[in-house]
């Protein structure tokens, strides 16, 4: 029998992956989630992803050979959810200056604001899904708090690994059309402690409540 949190996480994974990835079979995805090892092959990234990143680029083509998500159901409160993408090929093009408003990402306040918006958005989704699953949520505030704390730990400690990346940039609008590309073997992002060592951080504990979230790329 699924727990409340597991049911919510299932819906969030299906919904979240669907926002960024094209070519998902959602029914098969739901079934594979419960094995704890989700593998999806030959998919593509939605063009809207670049818009979310506020970059002056548009995506002409994308291909992801494999997406893998490992969910440690038995130890979600102490081990990270691992997301791995392999064999990625992207073709990007510039957009016009008129259609892009730059954001000053060097501004620390802006970075914190964007991070807070991201976390709040996910927390809002968690609560909305829980409301749908349990209309009597007001009678179960303790359960709701537990779900919120576990969700925060999952989001804080998610681990991302991207392997074999080929990025191609084309500018068909220049007087002399040109293209260039780069390849990367691997990019990894994970949570660290104050010494920048890989660690699992629980900010739901009082002693860690004020700790900043550190991610090493």
């Amino acid at each position: 029998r699924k727990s409340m949190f597991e049911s919510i996480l299932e819906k969030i994974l299906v919904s979240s992956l669907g926002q960024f990835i094209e070519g998902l079979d959602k029914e098969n995805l739901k079934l594979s989630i419960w094995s704890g090892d989700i593998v999806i092959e030959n998919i593509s990234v939605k063009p809207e992803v670049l818009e979310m990143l506020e970059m002056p680029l548009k995506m002409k083509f994308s291909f992801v050979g494999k997406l893998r998500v490992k969910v440690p159901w038995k130890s979600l409160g102490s081990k990270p959810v691992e997301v791995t993408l392999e064999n990625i090929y992207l073709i990007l093009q510039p957009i016009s200056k008129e259609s892009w408003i730059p954001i000053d990402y060097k501004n620390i306040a802006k970075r914190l604001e964007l991070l807070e918006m991201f976390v709040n958005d996910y927390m809002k989704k968690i609560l909305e899904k829980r409301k749908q699953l349990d209309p009597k949520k007001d009678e179960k505030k303790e359960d709701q708090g537990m779900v919120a704390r576990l969700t925060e730990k999952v989001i804080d400690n998610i681990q991302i690994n991207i392997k074999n990346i080929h990025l191609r940039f084309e500018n068909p609008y220049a007087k002399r059309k040109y293209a260039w590309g780069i390849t990367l073997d691997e990019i990894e992002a994970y949570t660290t402690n104050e010494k920048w060592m890989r660690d699992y951080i629980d900010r739901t504990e009082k002693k860690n409540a004020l700790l900043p979230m550190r991610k090493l790329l």
Side-chain angles (χ1 to χ4, degrees):
R1 180 177 174 271
K2 299 179 186 179
S3 71
M4 179 64 68
F5 179 78
E6 289 170 338
S7 297
I8 293 171
L9 186 57
E10 173 196 293
K11 290 179 179 294
I12 288 176
L13 283 174
V14 172
S15 174
S16 298
L17 290 176
Q19 288 180 16
F20 304 111
I21 300 295
E22 289 184 325
L24 289 178
D25 183 332
K26 293 187 177 181
E27 290 306 313
N28 286 338
L29 177 59
K30 288 180 180 179
L31 293 175
S32 61
I33 283 174
W34 296 106
S35 70
D37 193 1
I38 307 160
V39 178
I40 307 170
E41 298 182 329
N42 302 324
I43 52 179
S44 60
V45 180
K46 288 187 174 181
E48 294 81 8
V49 171
L50 281 182
E51 296 176 10
M52 295 170 61
L53 295 175
E54 299 287 349
M55 299 178 69
L57 301 169
K58 61 182 178 181
M59 193 178 300
K60 179 181 177 182
F61 175 81
S62 69
F63 174 79
V64 180
K66 180 185 292 185
L67 166 65
R68 186 168 196 167
V69 182
K70 298 186 72 173
V71 184
W73 287 115
K74 294 182 179 179
S75 50
L76 265 177
S78 58
K79 292 184 179 179
V81 171
E82 299 177 18
V83 179
T84 302
L85 296 99
E86 299 181 25
N87 303 324
I88 298 173
Y89 182 52
L90 303 175
I91 300 179
L92 307 179
Q93 291 183 346
I95 62 174
S96 64
K97 294 181 180 179
E98 293 76 17
S99 58
W100 180 62
I101 301 175
I103 293 179
D104 181 10
Y105 286 99
K106 294 181 180 179
N107 186 309
I108 297 300
K110 175 58 68 175
R111 291 186 182 183
L112 293 175
E113 179 186 341
L114 292 172
L115 181 59
E116 184 177 357
M117 288 172 57
F118 173 80
V119 173
N120 288 341
D121 181 56
Y122 266 80
M123 292 304 297
K124 182 178 179 181
K125 289 179 181 178
I126 287 285
L127 296 178
E128 287 176 351
K129 293 297 182 183
R130 188 182 188 281
K131 189 183 297 184
Q132 294 172 11
L133 292 169
D134 185 8
K136 299 180 179 180
K137 71 180 184 65
D138 291 335
E139 300 175 8
K140 300 181 180 180
K141 290 184 179 180
E142 185 176 345
D143 289 345
Q144 181 176 329
M146 181 183 68
V147 169
R149 289 192 297 273
L150 188 52
T151 302
E152 182 180 354
K153 287 194 284 186
V154 170
I155 294 174
D156 277 352
N157 292 280
I158 193 167
Q159 180 175 307
I160 300 174
N161 196 350
I162 306 175
K163 300 179 179 179
N164 190 19
I165 307 153
H166 183 182
L167 173 64
R168 177 182 171 87
F169 178 84
E170 300 177 347
N171 190 348
Y173 310 115
K175 291 182 178 179
R176 298 184 63 182
K177 298 179 181 180
Y178 65 90
W180 54 266
I182 59 173
T183 59
L184 297 171
D185 288 335
E186 185 173 3
I187 298 175
E188 189 175 17
Y190 52 83
T191 302
T192 71
N193 56 28
E194 66 278 4
K195 297 181 180 179
W196 298 103
M197 301 293 291
R198 189 191 297 262
D199 203 351
Y200 188 96
I201 305 298
D202 182 0
R203 293 197 297 172
T204 64
E205 293 185 358
K206 289 185 178 180
K207 64 178 182 178
N208 297 329
L210 300 179
L211 286 179
M213 180 46 55
R214 300 179 178 89
K215 287 284 185 180
L216 192 62
L217 181 64

